[in-house]
Amino acid sequence: MMNIQGIMKQAQMMQKKMEEAQEKAAQEEVNGTSGGGMVNVTLNGKFEMKKISLDKSLINADEVDILEDLIMAAYNDAKNKVDENLNKTISSVTGGLNIPGLKLPF
């Protein structure tokens, strides 16, 4: 028979590790770029934008649509990097196990 107390203890330890990993991931920042580095976006692990920088040569009232596209592309680049970091964090906590429905809550 399985030791229920042992399983519960392991589950509690994994939960604690996940909470620690969530805190660490929320504090990490990643940069996304587009336009050959002319647009830079910094996101934290909660997908909150912390910083944006634009090359001054992009600021042209007649080309706002291009600037908007570059900002979206830089954000999406950073978002993909945050997703990748979160997946690595989950994998390190679960030992590579694929647990259905297990996602960080943010």
Side-chain angles (χ1 to χ4, degrees), residues 4 12 27 33 35 37 50 62 69 82 89 99-100 106:
I4 298 296
Q12 289 172 341
Q27 294 174 3
T33 62
K50 302 307 270 181
D62 295 329
D69 289 343
V82 171
T89 299
I99 302 173
F106 44 83

Side-chain angles (χ1 to χ4, degrees), residues 10-11 13-19 21-22 85-104:
Q10 285 180 332
M13 287 174 53
M14 183 178 284
Q15 181 178 3
K16 183 178 180 189
K17 286 182 181 180
M18 282 299 292
E19 289 170 1
Q22 289 169 346
N85 287 348
L86 291 174
N87 287 334
K88 286 178 186 176
T89 299
I90 290 171
S91 181
S92 71
V93 170
T94 63
L97 294 175
N98 185 10
I99 302 173
L102 180 61
K103 291 189 177 194
L104 295 177

Side-chain angles (χ1 to χ4, degrees), residues 22-97:
Q22 289 169 346
E23 290 174 20
K24 180 182 174 191
Q27 294 174 3
E28 290 181 357
E29 292 185 351
V30 298
N31 294 313
T33 62
S34 68
M38 296 177 80
V39 175
N40 292 288
V41 171
T42 302
L43 299 182
N44 68 11
K46 291 184 179 182
F47 301 99
E48 297 168 336
M49 191 179 305
K50 302 307 270 181
K51 182 179 177 184
I52 184 169
S53 64
L54 307 171
D55 188 289
K56 292 185 185 341
S57 68
L58 290 173
I59 301 172
N60 180 340
D62 295 329
E63 297 178 353
V64 171
D65 55 334
I66 293 171
L67 181 56
E68 292 169 342
D69 289 343
L70 289 171
I71 291 170
M72 283 191 298
Y75 176 87
N76 288 331
D77 182 43
K79 180 192 173 300
N80 290 336
K81 290 176 182 176
V82 171
D83 280 334
E84 186 177 305
N85 287 348
L86 291 174
N87 287 334
K88 286 178 186 176
T89 299
I90 290 171
S91 181
S92 71
V93 170
T94 63
L97 294 175

